[in-house]
Amino acid sequence: MSDPAIAAQELCKTYAGSTGPVEAVAGVDLTVEAGEFLGLLGPNGAGKSTTIGMLTTLVVPTAGRAQVCGVDVVRQPVEVKRRIGMASQTNTLDRQLTVFENLEFRARYFGMGAGAARRRATELIELLELGDRKDAKVHELSGGQTKRVVIARALAHRPDVLFLDEPTAGIDPQTRHNLWDTLRTLHTEGQTILLTTHDMAEAETLCGRVAIIDHGSILACDEVERLKTGTGAESIVTVTYDGDPAPACATARDLPHVSRVEATEERVRVFTAEADGILGQLATAGAEHGLAIRDASTMRPSLETVFLTMTGREYRE
Amino acid sequence: MTATQLQRTSTQPTTMSTLLTFRIMLVREVRVIRREFVSFVLRTIMQPFFFVFVFAYVLPSMAAGEGGAMFVGAGDGPSYSTVLVPGLLASSMLFGGFMAVSMPLIMELSDNNEIEDRVLAPLPVWAVGLEKIVAGALQGLLAAVVVFPALYLVHAEGAAPAIDVANWPLLIVVLLSVSLLASALGLLLGTVIDARKISTIFGVIVVPVTMLGCVYYPWSALETIPWLQVLVLFNPMVYASEGLRATLTSGVGHMDTWAYLLFLVAGTGALTWLAVRSFTRRVRR
C-alpha cells in the first residue's frame, strides 16, 4: 500500500513569545490519503497556518513527526519540497518578476527546461484565467488576482500535494466561486489538497473531510455529514400551537432520539438526533388535545453549528 | 509503476538538482539586473564619479592657478587620483554588493514573507542564502567594472592615476574576496535589520564606514594619528581599500599583504558562515 499523502503524529510547535512560550500547535495527529480534499477548519489563531507551515518545511516542529508522501519533513525537507505546492495566505510572489515569470521561474527551479517552463506557465495562465495580467508586475495585481497567481505558482511543478492557506480570504464572491470551480476540477483530476479556512461554506462545498482545529489541537476530523451527526450537534424541531403546548411536550419527551424539550407559552422546541417523523407526531399529539399548529420548522445541524459548538463563541484576535 | 513514480525514480541526485536550482536562481538574478541595469549604473557611478571629478580634477586644476595651494599640498608623491582609485573602487564594490543583497532581502523578510518564493524551491535553505551571496558578489564586481573607467579617466592634466598591477592572481583574489565580503555582510545585516528602521541604520553606517575606511587616504598615512590607525582596523572597508591599493597602485604605501589578505579571506569565510546561519534561522521559524 502506498504512503498517505500527509501523516502527522503528535506534531507540536512552541514559539518563544515575549511573555513566555506560546504553544501554537499542541499535538496534531492527521492522516490525509492520496487524492483526498481535506479542510482544516478553525478560528483565527487556532494553529492552522503553523500546522501547514510544519508540513511544508517552513516551520520546524518542536516535537512530533510528520511525513509527506512518506518523506520526513524534518530530515528530508528538500525531498518534501519536491512533492508539495504551497499557496500562502500572504502575497509571497516575487516582486521583481512579472506574473508570467513568477510561474516560469518556479517551474524552472523544479528542473523544467526553459521551453517546458514557459509552456507550463502558459497553461497555468489559462487555467486561472490570468491572460490579460500575464505581463503585469506583482504590485499591479488586485487581491483576487494575487490569490490566483499564488495558487498557479503552487501548481507549477505539478506537486503531489497542494497546500492552500486560506485561499479565498478577502476576495469577492465571483472570484471565490470561480476559484472553487478550479479547485474542484483539480481535485477531480486526482490532486490531493489540504486547505485551511474559517469559511464554513468553503469547507462544506469543497472538502471530502474536515478537521476542526482549535487551540493547537484537532477536535474532530470526519466527513462533513458525519461531523454533523456524530458530535452532539442536533436538529431542532420547533412547533407553535394556538394554545398551551404541555400535552405535546409530554408526547415529545417519550419519543426516541429526543435529548431535550423546551416549552414556552405556545411553542415547543425539540432537540433530536433524528428529526424525521417528529413533526407529524407533534401534530397528532396536538390534535388529540384540540391544538392546531400555527407554525413549524426543522433546523438541520450545519457545519457552522458543529463548529460553534466545538470552538465556542468568544472573539478571536 | 505510474508515470509520476517513473519520473521520480529518474530524478537526478540531490547535489546535481541543488546545483541546477542554484543556477536557475542566478539566471533569475541576471534577468533582474539586466532589467534594472540603467538605474544600477546611475546609482553606482554617481558618488565615485563626482568625487574624482572634484578631488582629482577640479581641485588639482585650481591648484595650478592662483590660491590653489590651499586645496592641494605640493609634493613629489603619487597624485591624489592614484590614492583615490583603489579607495573609491573598494567603496563602490563594498556598497554595491552590500546593497544588492540587503535591500531586497529586507523587503523579502518583511510582512509578506516573500522569501518563501525562494525557500520553497527544492534546495536546502542554506543554499538559498549562499545563492544570494554569490549574486550580490556578481553585482559588486559589476560595480567595479562600471566605476573603474570613470576613476581612471577623470583627472587633472598630468595627474593620471599610476595604475600598476604587479600580481594579477593576487588582484583577482582581492577582487573576489572584497565582493564576497560585501554580499556576506549584506546577507548578515539583511537578516537582522528591521524593515522599519532601515533608513536610519544605513544612514548611520555609510558615512563613518566610508570616511574611516581608508578610501580617501592610505592606512600607512595614519601613522601620525596612532589611535585612529588602530581604531579603523575594526572597519572592513579598510581591508578592501588597502587590498586594492596594494594590488592596483603599488606605488602608494599600503598595509602588508598578509594582513589584508588574512582579513579578506578568513573574514569573508567567517562572515559567509555567520550570514548563512543567520539567514537559515530567520527563514525556518
Side-chain angles (χ1 to χ4, degrees), chain A residues 145-169:
Chain A
Q145 288 164 346
T146 303
K147 292 273 184 193
R148 276 142 71 198
V149 183
V150 169
I151 292 171
R153 185 185 55 176
L155 291 167
H157 57 291
R158 298 192 173 87
D160 292 338
V161 185
L162 178 63
F163 290 89
L164 303 167
D165 197 1
E166 300 196 8
T168 60

Side-chain angles (χ1 to χ4, degrees), chain B residues 141-161:
Chain B
L141 289 171
L142 194 60
V145 172
V146 166
V147 166
F148 185 78
L151 299 181
Y152 187 68
L153 296 172
V154 178
H155 55 77
E157 221 178 299

Side-chain angles (χ1 to χ4, degrees), chain A residues 226-244:
Chain A
R226 291 180 58 175
L227 273 180
K228 286 180 194 169
T229 52
T231 55
E234 299 178 311
S235 296
I236 305 166
V237 181
T238 310
V239 177
T240 311
Y241 297 97
D242 59 354
D244 182 4

Side-chain angles (χ1 to χ4, degrees), chain A residues 36-109:
Chain A
E36 259 201 274
F37 197 148
L38 183 109
L40 199 54
L41 185 67
N44 291 332
K48 301 188 296 288
S49 294
T50 308
T51 301
I52 227 177
M54 288 191 278
L55 296 173
T56 53
T57 79
L58 294 167
V59 175
V60 186
T62 37
R65 295 180 59 201
Q67 303 85 35
V68 173
C69 305
V71 184
D72 191 281
V73 296
V74 176
R75 277 180 290 173
Q76 290 180 281
V78 177
E79 286 307 306
V80 169
K81 287 193 274 187
R82 290 193 168 285
R83 290 158 171 77
I84 60 164
M86 162 73 166
S88 308
Q89 230 177 97
T90 56
N91 178 357
T92 57
L93 296 172
D94 189 335
R95 280 160 181 69
Q96 288 175 297
L97 301 180
T98 64
V99 167
F100 188 86
E101 287 172 329
N102 261 279
L103 306 177
E104 179 193 357
F105 272 100
R106 176 59 68 97
R108 291 193 71 186
Y109 294 155

Side-chain angles (χ1 to χ4, degrees), chain A residues 13-24 62:
Chain A
K13 179 67 185 181
T14 307
Y15 288 106
S18 50
T19 54
V22 179
E23 200 173 39
T62 37

